[in-house]
């Protein structure tokens, strides 16, 4: 049997519980990364068409938390045509991309397949990759006052031909932290760096451009050109530009002694008031 004191204690505790109110803590919203792929369902090459995208929610444009993959059939250029600034988490690009309006920023990682390109065109138009970036063998064209910015790239290698070009007043291709560039291993692989008509290509941290001794050395070259008023290629840290002739290898090493002594010369060209900035 309960004593009178125990009954009073039990009644008091029950009263305290009856007076309490249950509360729920509101937790911070969590966003899961989503894989979004290009499926081309819109029947066009427009980024802005939701029907071209598939993911956790079908027919929805990629957003800030999305890992985006573009691998369309054939050799095509996807047109980013949104007149807004868009950020996505990552982009794996197996085709080319043309940014004709707005601004596209890749936050964590970007890779583009060799022989593909990113082209920007128009005042205020931009493309930027802020995280880990792989660009071996890819081309970049900034036109009409637009900007391509790749600040995290520190090294790159040519595969096939590589073109980095800024054309038009205000146009910029920016690789300010690139320190080394290799020209590749196959015949007739050329590198073209062009600042034209007032464009700027920033390679100000690049210390060496090296032509590897391996592979087929014939017809490989590096051609750097600044042409026109206010056109600038920044090579302020460059210490070595190496162009290896096919004649540099032993005639008996390859092709059973029939290796031809053929070569294309690398060149630095500043034309019509263009400027190539070199350090000491």
């Amino acid at each position: 049997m309960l004593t009178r004191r125990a009954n009073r204690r039990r009644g008091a505790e029950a009263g305290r519980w009856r007076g309490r109110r249950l509360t729920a803590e509101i937790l911070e919203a969590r966003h899961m990364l989503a894989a979004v792929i290009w499926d081309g369902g819109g029947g066009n090459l427009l980024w802005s068409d939701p029907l071209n995208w598939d993911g956790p929610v079908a027919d929805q444009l990629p957003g800030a938390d999305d890992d985006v993959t573009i691998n369309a059939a054939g050799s095509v250029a996807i047109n980013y045509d949104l007149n807004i600034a868009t950020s996505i988490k990552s982009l794996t690009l197996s085709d080319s991309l043309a940014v004709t309006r707005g601004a596209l920023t890749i936050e964590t990682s970007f890779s583009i397949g060799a022989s593909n390109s990113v082209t920007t065109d128009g005042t205020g138009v931009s493309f930027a990759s802020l995280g880990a970036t792989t660009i071996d063998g890819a081309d970049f064209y900034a036109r009409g006052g637009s900007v391509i910015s790749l600040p995290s790239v520190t090294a790159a290698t040519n595969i096939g031909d590589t073109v980095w070009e800024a054309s038009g007043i205000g146009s910029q291709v920016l690789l300010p932290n690139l320190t080394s560039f290799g020209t590749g291993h196959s015949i007739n692989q050329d590198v073209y760096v062009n600042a034209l008509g007032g464009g700027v290509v920033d390679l100000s941290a690049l210390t060496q451009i090296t032509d590897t001794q391996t592979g087929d050395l014939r017809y490989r070259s590096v051609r750097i050109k600044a042409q026109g008023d206010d056109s600038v290629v920044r090579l302020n840290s460059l210490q070595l530009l190496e162009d290896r002739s096919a004649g540099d290898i032993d005639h008996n090493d390859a092709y059973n002694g029939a290796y031809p002594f053929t070569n294309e010369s690398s060149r630095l060209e500043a034309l019509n008031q263009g400027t190539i900035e070199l350090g000491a």
Side-chain angles (χ1 to χ4, degrees):
M1 294 181 60
L2 295 176
T3 65
R4 186 177 302 173
R5 179 178 298 176
N7 277 326
R8 284 201 301 269
R9 184 185 303 119
R10 195 171 176 186
E13 289 175 353
R16 283 198 300 270
W17 280 107
R18 280 195 299 270
R20 290 186 179 182
R21 180 176 298 173
L22 294 177
T23 60
E25 180 181 359
I26 299 176
L27 299 177
E28 178 186 357
R30 302 288 182 181
H31 299 281
M32 299 298 292
L33 298 183
V36 177
I37 63 170
W38 176 276
D39 66 4
N44 53 57
L45 298 175
L46 300 179
W47 185 292
S48 62
D49 188 343
L51 297 179
N52 285 323
W53 300 100
D54 191 23
V57 179
D59 302 333
Q60 181 171 295
L61 298 183
D65 297 312
D66 294 332
D67 294 307
V68 178
T69 299
I70 298 177
N71 188 9
S75 179
V76 300
I78 307 303
N79 184 7
Y80 178 88
D81 59 328
L82 295 172
N83 196 25
I84 57 173
T86 298
S87 293
I88 58 177
K89 206 72 176 177
S90 69
L91 175 60
T92 302
L93 182 62
S94 299
D95 296 285
S96 293
L97 180 68
V99 183
T100 56
R101 304 176 73 188
L104 178 61
T105 299
I106 317 301
E107 296 290 346
T108 61
S109 67
F110 168 58
S111 64
I112 177 172
S115 301
N116 294 311
S117 65
V118 173
T119 302
T120 56
D121 196 348
T123 302
V125 173
S126 67
F127 174 90
S129 175
L130 305 182
T133 302
T134 302
I135 62 170
D136 292 348
D139 301 333
F140 294 92
Y141 301 90
R143 298 169 175 161
S146 62
V147 177
I148 295 174
S149 180
L150 306 169
S152 65
V153 177
T154 58
T157 300
N158 181 29
I159 301 174
D161 288 343
T162 291
V163 182
W164 298 341
E165 181 175 290
S167 58
I169 296 172
S171 300
Q172 299 181 73
V173 174
L174 306 176
L175 293 103
N177 297 306
L178 179 74
T179 58
S180 64
F181 187 86
T183 62
H185 304 274
S186 300
I187 185 173
N188 202 28
Q189 290 188 329
D190 298 305
V191 176
Y192 300 90
V193 177
N194 299 322
L196 309 172
V200 174
V201 180
D202 184 1
L203 305 174
S204 55
L206 185 62
T207 60
Q208 58 182 356
I209 303 172
T210 56
D211 191 2
T212 58
Q213 193 170 0
T214 59
D216 192 332
L217 303 180
R218 292 174 296 168
Y219 304 112
R220 298 199 313 223
S221 68
V222 177
R223 305 184 184 190
I224 298 171
K225 179 190 292 185
Q227 182 170 355
D229 289 342
D230 300 318
S231 301
V232 180
V233 177
R234 295 176 181 151
L235 289 168
N236 310 83
S237 302
L238 189 66
Q239 300 173 27
L240 173 66
L241 171 56
E242 180 184 58
D243 182 356
R244 193 177 297 278
S245 168
D248 289 344
I249 71 166
D250 190 321
H251 224 91
N252 296 315
D253 280 351
Y255 303 103
N256 297 317
Y259 200 111
F261 289 89
T262 51
N263 197 43
E264 289 180 350
S265 296
S266 293
R267 61 190 70 173
L268 299 170
E269 297 181 291
L271 308 171
N272 302 330
Q273 309 304 313
T275 301
I276 298 177
E277 297 178 352
L278 294 171

